[in-house]
Amino acid sequence: MNSAPIGIFDSGIGGLTVLRETAKLLPDEDIIYLGDTARVPYGSKSRETVIRYSFEDANFLVKHGIKLLVVACNTATGYALGELKKRLPIPVVGVIEPGAKNAVKTTKTKRIGIIGTEGTIKSNSYVNEIMRLAGREAITITEHGEKRFDRYFEIRTGAFVIFTKACPLFVPMAEEGWTDNEVTRLTVETYLRGIKDEGVDVLLLGCTHYPLLEDAIGRFMGKATTLIDSASATAVEVEKVLAEKGLLSDKKGEAMKKIFVTDSPERFLNVGRRFLGGNLKGAELVSLGN
Ligand code: DGL
């Protein structure tokens, strides 16, 4: 048993979807959240920069005595998870492995769509994770060039066909609260038409912000496609790791939720209420990296 808090970081506000699911599943756990709102977005930044930011975020939380770190940002998970796991003294959970596991478990046709930021798609981490879960040796990958997709992989053993697409505009739309209007519908259609035409039965929402657009995306993709959201799968993984390591909290009473941001708490709170559904009380401004 361990009553120290869980630490969660994201490039900004979107990781609140992971906080929400973790708090729902583990109501007795204290949670400290850091949103690096001064430097968001990570999705369009280089690998080196995202790794440097991720270590600054992680070290801030480690100094607050966390027992486990959740990297809620898909881009940061894609680029920095391996290094963080190697160098931090506590267990680290990212959002990509739980999402990929869930996709592999759910698909029946083995045709999977993956959407995320430019960085997440470029890092190839979801594809690599699905390959790892499916058994890398058995699989040959052919890259078919651009087509309508950023990348198109065919796994020739017939195991999986994976279609990936970066959907960068979904992030500002979610931040703006444009989750289900005419602009959203057109943007969803423009980004996802190609993937839909390929008849995927699973679409992985590989970005913290995309669960907010779930209704619009789900309506466009239709009932035959299951949307997998990394947030709830990650919460399940956090519970599993805490249980395996004997780190679950035995505290009773209302758990503490503490939120830190690196830029204006006011904007964070206004937008964040959409992500957390009203339960967001306050956020404290901090500075990192010096
Ligand atoms: N948190 C990022 C992710 O999940 C989305 C926002 C950003 O680009 O920083 O990839």
Side-chain angles (χ1 to χ4, degrees), residues 92-126:
V92 184
V93 173
V95 281
I96 287 179
E97 188 183 331
K101 244 189 223 163
N102 207 349
V104 167
K105 211 170 59 193
T106 308
T107 182
K108 297 204 168 55
T109 62
K110 299 195 164 43
R111 295 174 77 79
I112 299 176
I114 299 170
I115 55 175
T117 65
E118 252 174 84
T120 300
I121 298 302
K122 252 194 237 151
S123 78
N124 241 356
S125 340
Y126 274 109

CSV table of all heavy atoms in Angstrom, one decimal, residues 92-126:
chain,number,residue,atom,x,y,z
A,92,VAL,N,6.4,4.0,-15.0
A,92,VAL,CA,5.9,5.0,-15.9
A,92,VAL,C,4.9,4.4,-16.9
A,92,VAL,O,5.2,3.3,-17.4
A,92,VAL,CB,7.0,5.7,-16.7
A,92,VAL,CG1,6.5,6.8,-17.6
A,92,VAL,CG2,8.1,6.2,-15.8
A,93,VAL,N,3.7,4.9,-17.0
A,93,VAL,CA,2.7,4.4,-17.9
A,93,VAL,C,2.4,5.4,-19.0
A,93,VAL,O,2.2,6.6,-18.7
A,93,VAL,CB,1.4,4.1,-17.1
A,93,VAL,CG1,0.3,3.7,-18.1
A,93,VAL,CG2,1.6,3.0,-16.0
A,94,GLY,N,2.5,5.0,-20.2
A,94,GLY,CA,2.1,5.9,-21.3
A,94,GLY,C,0.7,5.5,-21.9
A,94,GLY,O,0.1,4.6,-21.4
A,95,VAL,N,0.3,6.3,-22.9
A,95,VAL,CA,-1.1,6.1,-23.4
A,95,VAL,C,-1.1,5.2,-24.6
A,95,VAL,O,-2.2,4.8,-25.0
A,95,VAL,CB,-1.8,7.4,-23.7
A,95,VAL,CG1,-2.3,8.0,-22.4
A,95,VAL,CG2,-0.9,8.4,-24.4
A,96,ILE,N,0.1,4.9,-25.2
A,96,ILE,CA,0.0,4.2,-26.5
A,96,ILE,C,-0.1,2.7,-26.3
A,96,ILE,O,-1.0,2.1,-27.0
A,96,ILE,CB,1.3,4.5,-27.3
A,96,ILE,CG1,1.1,6.0,-27.8
A,96,ILE,CG2,1.6,3.6,-28.4
A,96,ILE,CD1,2.3,6.6,-28.6
A,97,GLU,N,0.6,2.1,-25.4
A,97,GLU,CA,0.5,0.6,-25.2
A,97,GLU,C,-1.0,0.2,-24.8
A,97,GLU,O,-1.5,-0.7,-25.5
A,97,GLU,CB,1.5,0.1,-24.2
A,97,GLU,CG,1.5,-1.4,-24.1
A,97,GLU,CD,2.4,-1.9,-23.1
A,97,GLU,OE1,3.4,-1.2,-22.8
A,97,GLU,OE2,2.2,-3.0,-22.5
A,98,PRO,N,-1.6,0.9,-23.8
A,98,PRO,CA,-3.0,0.5,-23.5
A,98,PRO,C,-3.9,0.7,-24.7
A,98,PRO,O,-4.8,-0.2,-24.9
A,98,PRO,CB,-3.4,1.4,-22.4
A,98,PRO,CG,-2.1,1.9,-21.8
A,98,PRO,CD,-1.1,1.9,-22.9
A,99,GLY,N,-3.8,1.7,-25.4
A,99,GLY,CA,-4.7,2.0,-26.6
A,99,GLY,C,-4.5,0.9,-27.7
A,99,GLY,O,-5.4,0.3,-28.2
A,100,ALA,N,-3.2,0.6,-27.9
A,100,ALA,CA,-2.9,-0.4,-29.0
A,100,ALA,C,-3.4,-1.8,-28.6
A,100,ALA,O,-4.0,-2.5,-29.4
A,100,ALA,CB,-1.4,-0.5,-29.2
A,101,LYS,N,-3.2,-2.1,-27.3
A,101,LYS,CA,-3.7,-3.4,-26.8
A,101,LYS,C,-5.2,-3.6,-27.0
A,101,LYS,O,-5.7,-4.6,-27.4
A,101,LYS,CB,-3.4,-3.5,-25.3
A,101,LYS,CG,-2.4,-4.6,-24.9
A,101,LYS,CD,-2.4,-4.7,-23.3
A,101,LYS,CE,-1.0,-4.8,-22.9
A,101,LYS,NZ,-0.8,-4.5,-21.4
A,102,ASN,N,-5.9,-2.5,-26.6
A,102,ASN,CA,-7.3,-2.5,-26.8
A,102,ASN,C,-7.8,-2.6,-28.2
A,102,ASN,O,-8.7,-3.4,-28.5
A,102,ASN,CB,-7.9,-1.2,-26.2
A,102,ASN,CG,-9.3,-1.3,-25.7
A,102,ASN,OD1,-9.9,-2.3,-25.9
A,102,ASN,ND2,-9.7,-0.2,-25.0
A,103,ALA,N,-7.0,-2.0,-29.1
A,103,ALA,CA,-7.4,-2.1,-30.6
A,103,ALA,C,-7.2,-3.5,-31.1
A,103,ALA,O,-8.0,-4.0,-31.8
A,103,ALA,CB,-6.5,-1.1,-31.3
A,104,VAL,N,-6.0,-4.1,-30.7
A,104,VAL,CA,-5.7,-5.5,-31.1
A,104,VAL,C,-6.8,-6.4,-30.6
A,104,VAL,O,-7.2,-7.3,-31.3
A,104,VAL,CB,-4.3,-5.9,-30.7
A,104,VAL,CG1,-4.1,-7.4,-30.8
A,104,VAL,CG2,-3.3,-5.1,-31.4
A,105,LYS,N,-7.2,-6.2,-29.4
A,105,LYS,CA,-8.2,-7.1,-28.8
A,105,LYS,C,-9.6,-6.9,-29.4
A,105,LYS,O,-10.4,-7.9,-29.6
A,105,LYS,CB,-8.4,-6.7,-27.3
A,105,LYS,CG,-8.7,-7.9,-26.4
A,105,LYS,CD,-8.6,-7.5,-24.9
A,105,LYS,CE,-9.5,-6.3,-24.6
A,105,LYS,NZ,-9.2,-5.7,-23.3
A,106,THR,N,-9.9,-5.7,-29.8
A,106,THR,CA,-11.3,-5.4,-30.3
A,106,THR,C,-11.5,-5.7,-31.8
A,106,THR,O,-12.6,-6.1,-32.2
A,106,THR,CB,-11.6,-3.9,-30.1
A,106,THR,OG1,-11.3,-3.6,-28.8
A,106,THR,CG2,-13.0,-3.5,-30.4
A,107,THR,N,-10.4,-5.5,-32.6
A,107,THR,CA,-10.7,-5.7,-34.1
A,107,THR,C,-11.0,-7.1,-34.5
A,107,THR,O,-10.4,-8.1,-33.9
A,107,THR,CB,-9.4,-5.2,-34.9
A,107,THR,OG1,-9.7,-5.3,-36.3
A,107,THR,CG2,-8.2,-6.0,-34.6
A,108,LYS,N,-11.9,-7.3,-35.4
A,108,LYS,CA,-12.3,-8.6,-35.9
A,108,LYS,C,-11.7,-8.8,-37.3
A,108,LYS,O,-11.3,-9.8,-37.7
A,108,LYS,CB,-13.8,-8.8,-35.8
A,108,LYS,CG,-14.3,-8.8,-34.4
A,108,LYS,CD,-15.6,-9.6,-34.3
A,108,LYS,CE,-16.0,-9.7,-32.8
A,108,LYS,NZ,-16.0,-8.4,-32.1
A,109,THR,N,-11.8,-7.7,-38.0
A,109,THR,CA,-11.4,-7.7,-39.4
A,109,THR,C,-9.9,-7.5,-39.6
A,109,THR,O,-9.3,-7.7,-40.6
A,109,THR,CB,-12.1,-6.6,-40.3
A,109,THR,OG1,-11.7,-5.4,-39.7
A,109,THR,CG2,-13.6,-6.8,-40.2
A,110,LYS,N,-9.2,-7.0,-38.5
A,110,LYS,CA,-7.8,-6.7,-38.5
A,110,LYS,C,-7.5,-5.6,-39.4
A,110,LYS,O,-6.4,-5.5,-39.9
A,110,LYS,CB,-6.9,-7.9,-38.7
A,110,LYS,CG,-7.1,-9.0,-37.7
A,110,LYS,CD,-6.1,-10.1,-37.7
A,110,LYS,CE,-6.0,-10.9,-36.5
A,110,LYS,NZ,-7.2,-11.4,-35.9
A,111,ARG,N,-8.4,-4.7,-39.6
A,111,ARG,CA,-8.2,-3.4,-40.4
A,111,ARG,C,-8.4,-2.3,-39.3
A,111,ARG,O,-9.5,-2.1,-38.8
A,111,ARG,CB,-9.2,-3.3,-41.5
A,111,ARG,CG,-8.9,-4.4,-42.6
A,111,ARG,CD,-10.0,-4.3,-43.7
A,111,ARG,NE,-9.8,-3.2,-44.6
A,111,ARG,CZ,-8.9,-3.3,-45.6
A,111,ARG,NH1,-8.1,-4.3,-45.8
A,111,ARG,NH2,-8.8,-2.3,-46.5
A,112,ILE,N,-7.3,-1.6,-39.0
A,112,ILE,CA,-7.3,-0.7,-37.9
A,112,ILE,C,-6.9,0.7,-38.5
A,112,ILE,O,-5.9,0.9,-39.2
A,112,ILE,CB,-6.3,-1.1,-36.8
A,112,ILE,CG1,-6.7,-2.4,-36.2
A,112,ILE,CG2,-6.2,0.0,-35.7
A,112,ILE,CD1,-5.7,-3.0,-35.2
A,113,GLY,N,-7.6,1.7,-38.1
A,113,GLY,CA,-7.3,3.1,-38.4
A,113,GLY,C,-6.6,3.8,-37.1
A,113,GLY,O,-7.1,3.5,-36.0
A,114,ILE,N,-5.6,4.6,-37.3
A,114,ILE,CA,-5.0,5.3,-36.2
A,114,ILE,C,-4.9,6.8,-36.5
A,114,ILE,O,-4.4,7.1,-37.5
A,114,ILE,CB,-3.6,4.8,-35.9
A,114,ILE,CG1,-3.6,3.3,-35.5
A,114,ILE,CG2,-2.9,5.5,-34.7
A,114,ILE,CD1,-2.2,2.6,-35.5
A,115,ILE,N,-5.5,7.6,-35.6
A,115,ILE,CA,-5.3,9.0,-35.9
A,115,ILE,C,-4.7,9.7,-34.7
A,115,ILE,O,-4.8,9.2,-33.5
A,115,ILE,CB,-6.7,9.7,-36.2
A,115,ILE,CG1,-7.7,9.4,-35.1
A,115,ILE,CG2,-7.3,9.2,-37.5
A,115,ILE,CD1,-9.1,10.2,-35.3
A,116,GLY,N,-3.9,10.8,-34.9
A,116,GLY,CA,-3.2,11.4,-33.8
A,116,GLY,C,-2.6,12.7,-34.4
A,116,GLY,O,-2.8,13.1,-35.5
A,117,THR,N,-1.7,13.3,-33.5
A,117,THR,CA,-1.0,14.5,-34.0
A,117,THR,C,0.1,14.1,-35.0
A,117,THR,O,0.4,12.9,-35.1
A,117,THR,CB,-0.3,15.2,-32.8
A,117,THR,OG1,0.8,14.3,-32.3
A,117,THR,CG2,-1.2,15.6,-31.7
A,118,GLU,N,0.7,15.1,-35.7
A,118,GLU,CA,1.7,14.8,-36.6
A,118,GLU,C,2.9,14.0,-35.9
A,118,GLU,O,3.4,13.1,-36.5
A,118,GLU,CB,2.3,16.2,-37.0
A,118,GLU,CG,2.0,16.6,-38.4
A,118,GLU,CD,2.6,18.0,-38.6
A,118,GLU,OE1,3.8,18.1,-38.8
A,118,GLU,OE2,1.8,18.9,-38.4
A,119,GLY,N,3.2,14.5,-34.7
A,119,GLY,CA,4.3,13.8,-34.0
A,119,GLY,C,4.0,12.4,-33.7
A,119,GLY,O,4.9,11.5,-33.8
A,120,THR,N,2.8,12.1,-33.2
A,120,THR,CA,2.4,10.7,-32.8
A,120,THR,C,2.5,9.8,-34.1
A,120,THR,O,3.0,8.7,-34.0
A,120,THR,CB,1.0,10.7,-32.2
A,120,THR,OG1,1.1,11.5,-31.0
A,120,THR,CG2,0.6,9.3,-31.8
A,121,ILE,N,1.9,10.3,-35.2
A,121,ILE,CA,1.9,9.5,-36.4
A,121,ILE,C,3.3,9.3,-36.9
A,121,ILE,O,3.7,8.2,-37.2
A,121,ILE,CB,1.0,10.2,-37.4
A,121,ILE,CG1,-0.5,10.3,-36.9
A,121,ILE,CG2,1.1,9.4,-38.8
A,121,ILE,CD1,-1.1,8.9,-36.5
A,122,LYS,N,4.1,10.4,-36.9
A,122,LYS,CA,5.5,10.3,-37.3
A,122,LYS,C,6.3,9.3,-36.5
A,122,LYS,O,7.2,8.6,-37.0
A,122,LYS,CB,6.2,11.7,-37.3
A,122,LYS,CG,6.4,12.2,-38.6
A,122,LYS,CD,7.4,13.4,-38.6
A,122,LYS,CE,6.7,14.6,-39.1
A,122,LYS,NZ,7.2,15.9,-38.6
A,123,SER,N,6.1,9.3,-35.2
A,123,SER,CA,6.8,8.5,-34.3
A,123,SER,C,6.6,7.0,-34.5
A,123,SER,O,7.3,6.1,-34.1
A,123,SER,CB,6.5,8.8,-32.8
A,123,SER,OG,5.3,8.2,-32.4
A,124,ASN,N,5.4,6.7,-35.2
A,124,ASN,CA,5.1,5.3,-35.6
A,124,ASN,C,4.8,4.4,-34.4
A,124,ASN,O,4.8,3.2,-34.5
A,124,ASN,CB,6.3,4.7,-36.4
A,124,ASN,CG,5.8,4.3,-37.7
A,124,ASN,OD1,4.6,4.5,-38.0
A,124,ASN,ND2,6.7,3.8,-38.5
A,125,SER,N,4.7,5.0,-33.2
A,125,SER,CA,4.7,4.2,-32.0
A,125,SER,C,3.4,3.3,-31.9
A,125,SER,O,3.5,2.2,-31.4
A,125,SER,CB,4.7,5.0,-30.7
A,125,SER,OG,5.1,6.3,-31.0
A,126,TYR,N,2.3,3.8,-32.4
A,126,TYR,CA,1.1,2.9,-32.3
A,126,TYR,C,1.3,1.7,-33.3
A,126,TYR,O,1.0,0.5,-32.9
A,126,TYR,CB,-0.2,3.6,-32.7
A,126,TYR,CG,-0.8,4.3,-31.6
A,126,TYR,CD1,-0.8,5.7,-31.5
A,126,TYR,CD2,-1.5,3.6,-30.6
A,126,TYR,CE1,-1.4,6.4,-30.4
A,126,TYR,CE2,-2.1,4.3,-29.5
A,126,TYR,CZ,-2.1,5.6,-29.5
A,126,TYR,OH,-2.7,6.3,-28.4
